[in-house]
Amino acid sequence: MSQTNLLAAVGRLLIALIFIASGLGKIAAPGATQGYIAAVGLPLPMVSYLIAVLVELAGGILILIGYQVRITGLVLAAFTLATAVIFHTNFADQNQMIHFLKNVAIAGGLLQVAAFGAGALSLDGRRLRSR
């Protein structure tokens, strides 16, 4: 097993964890999450909530297992940047600025995943080897 393939798998795991944990957190506190969505003025908090849970859980799991990571990476990068712009632009609050920059950094990592793929230790890699 090459070091590059191992690093790609560990990188996917670390990126996936934040999305899976966030999606599960939203499921555990739907009222609070929908209230936060409504507080920033987004329409249809329930629909936004369901989309967020779906994108975070499905996207996190797909990145984790390494399936369709180029597309999933782009979707999650766009979602993460949108989240930064919608929820974390109060730069007078240092905590919000850190969240904004964290989201930008995560989007950068996801763009790397989209650009270079999942690596050999993934379902995408397995499909490529079987061709």
Side-chain angles (χ1 to χ4, degrees):
M1 172 183 345
S2 81
Q3 182 178 6
T4 301
N5 290 326
L6 181 60
L7 288 174
V10 171
R12 286 193 337 269
L13 167 69
L14 296 175
I15 290 175
L17 284 176
I18 196 164
F19 290 100
I20 294 168
S22 184
L24 292 173
K26 284 174 177 57
I27 289 171
T33 304
Q34 291 171 48
Y36 188 47
I37 291 168
V40 298
L42 284 180
L44 305 169
M46 175 59 116
V47 173
S48 297
Y49 164 78
L50 292 173
I51 291 169
V53 169
L54 177 68
V55 168
E56 288 178 347
L57 282 180
I61 291 167
L62 290 172
I63 292 288
L64 178 65
I65 64 175
Y67 183 72
Q68 297 291 319
V69 297
R70 291 180 187 266
I71 294 167
T72 305
L74 290 174
V75 169
L76 284 175
F79 175 83
T80 303
L81 288 173
T83 301
V85 170
I86 293 168
F87 293 99
H88 304 301
T89 54
N90 178 11
F91 297 139
D93 179 349
Q94 186 176 9
N95 187 44
Q96 289 302 310
M97 185 173 65
I98 290 168
H99 282 295
F100 179 87
L101 293 172
K102 172 200 59 139
N103 281 22
V104 169
I106 291 168
L110 288 162
L111 291 176
Q112 289 285 308
V113 170
F116 296 106
L121 300 176
S122 67
L123 290 180
D124 287 350
R126 185 176 182 189
R127 267 189 337 190
L128 289 174
R129 285 190 306 275
S130 69
R131 287 184 182 172

